[in-house]
Amino acid sequence: MLKLGIIGAGRIGQVHATSITNNVKNATVHMIADPFMNEDKIKWINELGIENITTDYKEILENKEIDAVLICSSTDTHSSISIEAARANKHIFCEKPIDHDLGKIQMVLEEVEKAGIKYQVGFNRRFDNNFKAIKDAVTEGKIGTPHIIKVTSRDPEAPGIDYVKVSGGMFLDMTIHDFDMVRHLSGSEVEEVYALGGVLVNSEIGEAGDIDTAIITLKLKNGALGVIDNSREAAYGYDQRAEVFGSLGSVAISNDSGSKAVISTKDGIVSEKPLYFFLERYMQSFGEEVNQFVEAIVNDKDVPVNANDGLQPVLIGLAAKKSLEEKRPVKISEIF
């Protein structure tokens, strides 16, 4: 059994702790660290049967019993803690993004290579059963050569303005998952980005310097084209769909709902709305990504989402921001 330490006991830290305790084989949470530890968090941690609690993450890095760490703290700490953990010779699972600063991401890549440890980035949607089905169909050649990759990602409600102000912007906070998914499904790197965006949901988001609605087109190195559409607020729930169209056909996924039942009467045809938020839609994927991280450590094989996979969507996000600001297509080579 690998012993894991979780740094950060906020929402995503709690998701991983619960998932590991209930769904991950060959690993156990040995310690959780959070500088804002309170009675509610301590009660929840104790209910999971996790005995070691601290407010100082360095205790996890210094603990010789702990094999690997999950970095689930605030985004602005990801790169610095990654470097410290690599120097402490811990395997690392880091929530996205590694950082918004390309120089800091490069430093992480260098330290990880120097330490020779496993480093996985938390793009959990790759491990969702629906997206995996698309990827498998593409990999097996069922739809031929990919021509068009389409991803729709719309949240059920916009985040609070305080969050928007520190998020790094929609492209680096929300769309970053979709940039990763286009790379993943196409099997190719993005070459050029053109982004259109607006403030159609909440004017306060615009006043904070961000957008809430966007369409991004992507040109890939293998010749395929990508299209992403985003909204911070879909009245009907969490809208997560994708399609890959290729030379021999297409493969697409629709939204998950509570059931697939469709009621047809003289008054109309009714089905259930999509599951409301990411915790409902993607809980299985959070467990599977850590299962594969643990397996990579135990069997000494490559992690499924490496540090470069963490770098590339940030490059695309920065190119999208530049494209929006300058109202023109932007090549990735202009960014890095």
Side-chain angles (χ1 to χ4, degrees), residues 5-8 12 16 69-74 77-83 85 92-96 119:
I6 295 179
I7 299 173
I12 196 64
H16 281 301
V69 299
L70 280 76
I71 301 174
C72 304
S73 49
S74 60
T77 67
H78 287 183
S79 61
S80 59
I81 296 177
S82 290
I83 290 170
I92 302 165
F93 179 100
C94 181
E95 273 301 326
K96 65 83 189 170
Y119 191 95

Side-chain angles (χ1 to χ4, degrees), residues 19-323:
S19 179
I20 292 166
T21 300
N22 297 326
N23 303 312
V24 175
K25 55 188 177 183
N26 300 327
T28 183
V29 180
H30 186 69
M31 183 182 293
I32 295 184
D34 193 301
F36 306 106
M37 197 66 71
N38 56 39
E39 289 185 7
D40 288 339
K41 289 180 180 179
I42 291 172
K43 179 182 177 183
W44 161 78
I45 292 168
N46 287 335
E47 287 175 351
L48 285 179
I50 301 166
E51 298 179 355
N52 301 303
I53 304 170
T54 179
T55 57
D56 184 0
Y57 72 88
K58 292 182 187 295
E59 290 188 30
I60 287 178
L61 302 184
E62 293 166 359
N63 191 307
K64 301 298 183 184
E65 293 185 70
I66 292 175
D67 303 290
V69 299
L70 280 76
I71 301 174
C72 304
S73 49
S74 60
T75 295
D76 60 344
T77 67
H78 287 183
S79 61
S80 59
I81 296 177
S82 290
I83 290 170
E84 289 183 67
R87 290 174 178 172
N89 203 37
K90 304 294 187 188
H91 299 293
I92 302 165
F93 179 100
C94 181
E95 273 301 326
K96 65 83 189 170
I98 300 173
D99 205 286
H100 295 149
D101 184 298
L102 296 178
K104 292 180 179 178
I105 296 176
Q106 190 60 42
M107 288 174 63
V108 171
L109 268 64
E110 291 170 1
E111 290 292 339
V112 166
E113 184 176 2
K114 188 186 303 181
I117 48 93
K118 309 293 183 186
Y119 191 95
Q120 183 170 325
V121 181
F123 283 115
N124 67 291
R125 293 182 190 179
R126 292 190 183 206
F127 304 89
D128 170 70
N129 288 333
N130 298 287
F131 284 106
K132 183 179 182 300
I134 289 192
K135 178 62 175 177
D136 288 347
V138 174
T139 301
E140 293 164 11
K142 292 181 178 179
I143 57 98
T145 302
H147 291 175
I148 300 172
I149 299 94
K150 297 172 67 176
V151 177
T152 292
S153 182
R154 304 167 187 163
D155 284 350
E157 60 182 23
I161 299 305
D162 288 342
Y163 177 81
V164 169
K165 291 177 179 178
V166 299
S167 69
M170 190 170 79
F171 292 141
L172 293 175
D173 169 55
M174 177 182 177
T175 323
I176 191 169
H177 280 288
D178 308 313
F179 294 144
D180 175 69
M181 190 51 59
V182 170
R183 291 182 65 242
H184 182 54
L185 296 180
S186 69
S188 181
E189 297 295 354
V190 173
E191 187 173 69
E192 187 177 88
V193 182
Y194 183 53
L196 294 172
V199 182
L200 305 178
V201 173
N202 183 348
S203 60
E204 291 185 13
I205 291 177
E207 292 165 8
D210 200 8
I211 58 172
D212 55 36
T213 308
I215 294 176
I216 306 105
T217 57
L218 308 166
K219 182 180 179 181
L220 299 158
K221 288 185 178 180
N222 66 0
L225 302 176
V227 181
I228 297 169
D229 80 79
N230 289 143
S231 175
R232 283 293 198 182
E233 186 170 277
Y236 49 86
Y238 195 37
D239 193 352
Q240 300 281 289
R241 290 171 285 144
E243 177 193 27
V244 178
F245 169 79
S247 58
L248 298 180
S250 69
V251 55
I253 58 168
S254 57
N255 287 303
D256 274 353
S257 57
S259 79
K260 297 297 183 182
V262 177
I263 300 173
S264 302
T265 71
K266 63 181 178 62
D267 299 317
I269 299 175
V270 180
S271 62
E272 291 192 33
K273 293 190 294 185
L275 296 174
Y276 189 71
F277 204 36
F278 80 96
L279 291 181
E280 297 171 84
R281 169 66 189 266
Y282 289 122
M283 199 61 197
Q284 165 270 331
S285 69
F286 287 112
E288 183 57 26
E289 65 178 349
V290 177
N291 261 321
Q292 293 196 26
F293 172 62
V294 169
E295 184 182 346
I297 296 170
V298 172
N299 296 318
D300 191 22
K301 63 181 187 178
D302 292 341
V303 294
V305 190
N306 61 32
N308 181 61
D309 293 320
L311 169 64
Q312 294 301 322
V314 176
L315 291 175
I316 303 167
L318 293 173
K321 289 180 73 172
K322 187 176 181 68
S323 174

